[in-house]
Amino acid sequence: MRKEEKMFDSVIIGAGVAGSVAARELAESGRSVLVLEQRDHIGGNCYDEPDEHGILIHKYGPHIFHTKEKKAYDYLSRFTDWYAFGHEVVANVYGKLIPVPFNLNTLHMVYEKEKADTLEKKLIETFGMGSRVPILKLREQEDPEIRQIADYVYENIFLHYTMKQWGQTPEEIDPAVTGRVPVVISYDNRYFQEPWQGMPLHGYTPMFEKMLDHPKIRVETGVDARSRIRFEEDQVILDGEPFCGEVIYTGPVDELFNCCFGRLPYRSLRFDFEYLDQKDYQGHSVVNYTVSEDFTRITEFKYLTGQKAPGTTIVREYPFAYTGAEGEIPYYSIANEANQALYEKYRALTEKIPNVWLLGRLAEYKYYNIDAMVMKALELTEKIKQEV
Ligand code: FAD
Ligand code: UDP
């Protein structure tokens, strides 16, 4: 083993949001931090880069920062300025583009005026202006007219998209998932209603580069941590030597233990990028295909990043069940009782090792957004700093 590695106080596995924020926080508390990242770049799934035509793309799917947590916004603002905008999404329903989440504007696009006016009045009376009603809750309503709207939204926005994304119906998946895109009783067409939303002005990758640029942080990319770290009973062995500093792991927890209880299920995605030698493809940043096609959505990056260019790049997302095969990436944990029980078995193995912490969308097997990840990383590092 190289001598210098013994000098690290903390090791962080994964350089996504979770790992990068944690690394910065521990470094600023005076610790020397080693970050091991298996990909050849930092940023995790938020990574962006110019494609061969110079269009800034998000390699692992479109990422829009949005939060109501000022603390998360302020934290990232230390490392980036913002291109702020209110993100809007439309659904392609049999060729007609309608705003999603379904809202009062959408209502007026799908029903003729008199009917839409009556339904609008009823929705406002029942739920209140500004309320957000998950589709599964809307479907529980007994009023026949509200049921009619619920059925429309269910059939035309949720059912087919959810079948593609999860391989299951909206009833079969965790209600919190469809609850992310509720019916909104207002004229707000934005996909997210939180006060801070947009893109890091120069992209995510420069933001993470800045975050990890600290004299006490060393980042090694192209390194699978499992080639450097193993566990022996309640001890961490780093490069063959016992390591007593903090180890924060942000990868899939089953893989730490060779999937000894079986693989944790995830949904994965195939991203098909296409460059088009034309100024505009779809006139919107994201179009969800909610009643047709095998892909779930098409993103046109220029509309997300504000980039001006003569050509344009789009990406189609094709979901499939993650198998763990070489090259596949686990993107979405699948929340249900059986999977949570399996996750807990793996977590229990890490609990025996007092200096190992699980952090992140994969390691915690949770559907976290970027802002929630920032908050969790700040919370965990605060706890670690207070303990020692
Ligand atoms: P990751 O970004 O997955 O980082 C984990 C890192 O650990 C990876 O780089 C991985 O290579 C590395 N790693 C794993 N195992 C090892 C190992 N053994 N050795 C070394 N390194 C290892 N959130 C939003 O807020 N807005 C959005 O618009 C949004 N869009 C999304 C779209 C898609 C398609 C997906 C999948 C997610 C989206 N998210 C979005 C969620 C966002 O990606 C996550 O909140 C965030 O990336 C989680 O960060 P993380 O650090 O936990 O995980
Ligand atoms: N969803 C849907 N139709 C849509 C948008 C969302 O059915 O047009 C459902 C689908 O089940 C999806 C979930 O709502 O997985 C959450 O959507 P979100 O856009 O938050 O998913 P993400 O961007 O995280 O993939």
Side-chain angles (χ1 to χ4, degrees), residues 236-257:
V236 176
I237 309 293
L238 171 66
D239 295 321
E241 303 268 330
F243 180 78
C244 303
E246 301 84 33
V247 176
I248 298 181
Y249 178 72
T250 74
V253 68
D254 53 350
E255 291 189 357
L256 269 188
F257 300 98

Side-chain angles (χ1 to χ4, degrees), residues 14 17-18 37-38 44-45 62-64 223-225 360-361 368-370:
V17 187
E37 168 55 58
Q38 68 186 0
N45 289 339
H63 280 72
I64 301 99
V223 179
D224 184 336
R361 182 154 155 138
Y368 285 128
N369 289 328
I370 298 168

